[in-house]
């Protein structure tokens, strides 16, 4: 009987030291659920990918990577069940990247929407590192080395995953060996969660300074909620609100079981924004409480031990796949 593949791999870049609720709802929550359903999860911090925009701050990228690994674990990734590791601790990724970069058509990379955006942000070819163009190739390596059944990511990553499956097929065709099988994209279905807005109703993002971080304290969360965006024309309790456009009401919908009643009262001018803010704060703090407790247990060097063990387990798997790639290419 064929062995069922239950492996899942995903990662996030270490451009920031902290993950926010948007990162959690958009991707990480799905990883935790899959882990708890019994999938074998490889959970990576993509420090090399962070270097594509932060090579001048490489030390920061590496420090961030530790903090992100702590956020993974605080969010419910269990290092006894899942493999938590830092990308650059598994040098097989770099070697496999060179091999696949020789087989990836330049046109596929130049057409990637994320590349075009970054290119504009960075200000042209003289400021743009060569590594940025290869971003999807490195991401493909991250995935293929673990031969996963599926890759749980946010919707924005779909173009990279498509290139990945194309590169996998191309490798098989060029070498004449079936080394890689296509993997599935596992994208969260609950749109209200996946699109959880920032405090100002724009996309939650560090650059907008509108985030609720997984590691924020109860008081920090309460302070942030106080100045969150609500219906601008609702000045008094009796003014009607528009919950669809109000950040606090969006949080209630995701985190409070009584959100429907709250939305109706908001629309009817039967509740004030202060009350909604208070309830949303309580609901979010309750939601984050287990994460805060797990984070407290992670002090000291615990994370270094976890990452060392994770890199060892990842290298065993990645090393075997890399050997298979070299053999398929006839490289001795
Ligand atoms: N590009 C992903 C992001 O920005 C991070 C990433 C790197 C990744 N390697 C990966 C995601 C492999 C999934 C699989 O979020």
């Amino acid at each position: 009987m064929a062995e069922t593949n239950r492996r899942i791999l995903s990662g996030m870049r270490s451009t920031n030291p902290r993950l926010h609720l948007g990162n959690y709802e958009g991707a990480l929550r799905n990883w935790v659920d899959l882990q708890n359903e019994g999938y074998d999860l490889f959970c990576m911090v993509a420090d090399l990918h962070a270097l594509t925009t932060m090579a001048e701050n490489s030390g920061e990228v590496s420090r961030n990577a530790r903090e992100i690994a702590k956020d993974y674990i605080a969010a419910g990734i269990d290092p006894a069940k899942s493999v938590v590791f830092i990308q650059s601790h598994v040098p097989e990724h770099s070697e496999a990247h060179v091999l696949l970069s020789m087989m990836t058509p330049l046109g596929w990379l130049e057409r990637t929407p994320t590349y075009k955006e970054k290119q504009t942000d960075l200000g042209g070819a003289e400021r743009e590192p060569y590594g940025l163009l290869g971003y999807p190739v490195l991401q493909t390596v991250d995935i293929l080395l673990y031969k996963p059944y599926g890759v749980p990511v946010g919707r924005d990553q779909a173009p990279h995953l498509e290139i990945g499956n194309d590169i996998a097929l191309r490798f098989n065709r060029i070498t004449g060996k079936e080394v890689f099988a296509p993997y599935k994209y596992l994208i969260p279905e609950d749109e209200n969660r996946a699109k959880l807005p920032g405090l100002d109703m724009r996309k939650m993002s560090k650059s907008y300074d509108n985030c609720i971080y997984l590691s924020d304290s109860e008081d920090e969360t309460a302070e942030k909620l106080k100045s969150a965006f609500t219906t601008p024309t609702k000045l008094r309790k009796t003014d009607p609100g528009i919950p669809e456009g109000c950040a606090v009401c969006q949080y209630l919908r995701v985190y409070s079981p009584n959100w429907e009643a709250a939305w109706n009262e908001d629309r009817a001018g039967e509740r004030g924004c202060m009350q909604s803010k208070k309830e949303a704060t309580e609901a979010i703090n309750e939601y984050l409480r287990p994460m805060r407790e797990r984070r407290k247990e992670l002090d000291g060097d615990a994370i270094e031990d976890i990452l060392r063990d994770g890199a060892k387990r990842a290298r065993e798997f990645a090393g075997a796949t890399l050997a298979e790639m070299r053999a398929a290419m006839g490289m001795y």
Side-chain angles (χ1 to χ4, degrees), residues 65-78:
R66 270 71 183 180
E67 295 305 312
I68 293 190
K70 286 188 204 167
D71 273 341
Y72 286 173
I73 293 167
I77 300 294
D78 177 354

Side-chain angles (χ1 to χ4, degrees), residues 95-106:
E95 184 175 345
H97 175 258
V98 174
L99 299 180
L100 288 191
S101 73
M102 304 304 168
M103 300 185 188
T104 307
L106 197 51

Side-chain angles (χ1 to χ4, degrees), residues 42-43 51 64 78 88 110-111 139 150 217 221 238 266 294:
F42 286 81
C43 195
L51 292 180
N64 291 349
D78 177 354
S88 73
E110 284 171 342
R111 274 199 295 276
Q139 183 161 349
S217 69
T221 307
T238 48
D266 184 75
R294 277 192 292 265

